[in-house]
Amino acid sequence: MPGPRARYHLERIRESVWDVVANGALKITYGELKKGLDENKDVSWVSPTAPDPGSQNVPPRDPNPTSADRSHQPPNDAQERTGLDGAKVRRAVTLECQAAGAGTFVDFDEFHELACRRGGPGDDGFVDPVLATQMYMETHKLVPLLESMTAAVMTAKPDDPAKFLEQKLRDHHFRGAPVLGYDEKDLDAVFTQFDIVRSGAITQEQCDKAIIAMTGHKAKPRTDPGAPVTKAEFMRLAREALDEYTA
């Protein structure tokens, strides 16, 4: 996604929703997030610095804008100004609260990802360009594919990167071969790097760091995030993350 445009979209949601619900906290539980959204159903879903659509300083909205004029139209409602449907986001958070557990912590980045994935625009004709791009990339799993291709070529360092990547794509398309593959031996080696004292277990923080290094994402939340992560559990979490986030 275009960096500046995506950043603007992200900051609108941070200021309009997260800062209101989380009250300045970096992390809150899904239970607190759900409660905050339920108690603030009329939250603007629009940056507090955005112009008031009722203000006299806002030019009148053309009821039948052309596609070329749409980007110059003044904000019409909260959904249009954030590209998200607040009701859909609340439902998504409710389901996530049930699935992950009300006591599981969530930060803004995780909330933003969930909101964009599940709170997309309805059938009112408006499609936020950032959300449209993000949904397209998620539908076709382009981010895992491109990240995996980059990691594969940097690991192998072939003499002909273009030919190497072409072969990777062919194998991936025709044979279903993973672009970036980690076998059990590789995962065992990663675990050993973090299990410095050879205790057979690592911390949740070390587990997250290891899986982020492989996939760019944290491991899925555990029932007891404070408990040590055994090798068997690490292997399971790593495999799940690789299956979800890499190609």
Side-chain angles (χ1 to χ4, degrees):
M1 290 185 290
R5 180 67 177 83
R7 174 59 58 181
Y8 172 59
H9 177 273
L10 180 147
E11 291 303 329
R12 282 187 294 173
I13 297 173
R14 184 196 300 275
E15 295 173 4
S16 309
V17 185
W18 178 262
D19 287 350
V20 173
V21 174
N23 196 28
L26 296 178
K27 286 186 176 183
I28 58 177
T29 65
Y30 272 110
E32 292 170 332
L33 177 59
K34 179 183 180 301
K35 181 180 178 182
L37 290 175
D38 288 343
E39 291 177 348
N40 293 275
K41 290 184 178 180
D42 295 328
V43 69
S44 66
W45 289 92
V46 59
S47 171
T49 59
D52 181 353
S55 170
Q56 295 180 354
N57 296 325
V58 178
R61 184 179 180 84
D62 185 346
N64 299 299
T66 64
S67 58
D69 293 334
R70 180 177 288 279
S71 62
H72 302 292
Q73 291 293 307
N76 184 41
D77 54 35
Q79 176 180 320
E80 178 160 342
R81 285 174 287 177
T82 60
L84 295 174
D85 184 326
K88 287 185 178 180
V89 174
R90 287 196 300 275
R91 287 196 295 271
V93 168
T94 297
L95 293 174
E96 197 68 23
C97 184
Q98 295 172 351
T104 300
F105 279 90
V106 55
D107 59 23
F108 170 73
D109 289 337
E110 292 165 329
F111 167 68
H112 178 254
E113 180 182 357
L114 175 67
C116 289
R117 187 173 69 250
R118 303 288 294 278
D123 300 324
D124 57 1
F126 175 79
V127 178
D128 183 284
V130 172
L131 283 177
T133 301
Q134 184 164 340
M135 286 188 286
Y136 174 83
M137 295 184 74
E138 289 184 355
T139 298
H140 297 280
K141 298 183 178 180
L142 291 180
V143 172
L145 177 61
L146 295 175
E147 288 180 346
S148 296
M149 289 175 63
T150 301
V153 75
M154 294 303 294
T155 300
K157 297 181 177 60
D159 293 331
D160 189 340
K163 186 175 181 179
F164 173 83
L165 290 174
E166 178 185 5
Q167 187 59 51
K168 282 286 185 182
L169 281 175
R170 287 181 179 276
D171 291 343
H172 180 65
H173 180 71
F174 291 109
R175 299 195 294 109
V179 174
L180 181 64
Y182 282 87
D183 58 23
E184 297 302 304
K185 183 178 178 181
D186 295 327
L187 295 180
D188 183 271
V190 172
F191 179 85
T192 301
Q193 288 178 352
F194 285 86
D195 183 19
I196 301 175
V197 297
R198 302 296 185 266
S199 66
I202 58 178
T203 65
Q204 181 65 54
E205 182 179 2
Q206 290 174 318
C207 177
D208 284 337
K209 286 182 178 180
I211 293 179
I212 287 173
M214 292 187 287
T215 69
H217 299 268
K218 291 182 180 179
K220 289 184 177 180
R222 297 189 301 146
T223 304
D224 184 4
V229 181
T230 64
K231 180 186 288 189
E233 188 171 14
F234 171 78
M235 303 284 268
R236 177 181 61 79
L237 292 170
R239 183 57 61 197
E240 289 177 353
L242 287 166
D243 289 343
E244 181 172 356
Y245 298 118
T246 65

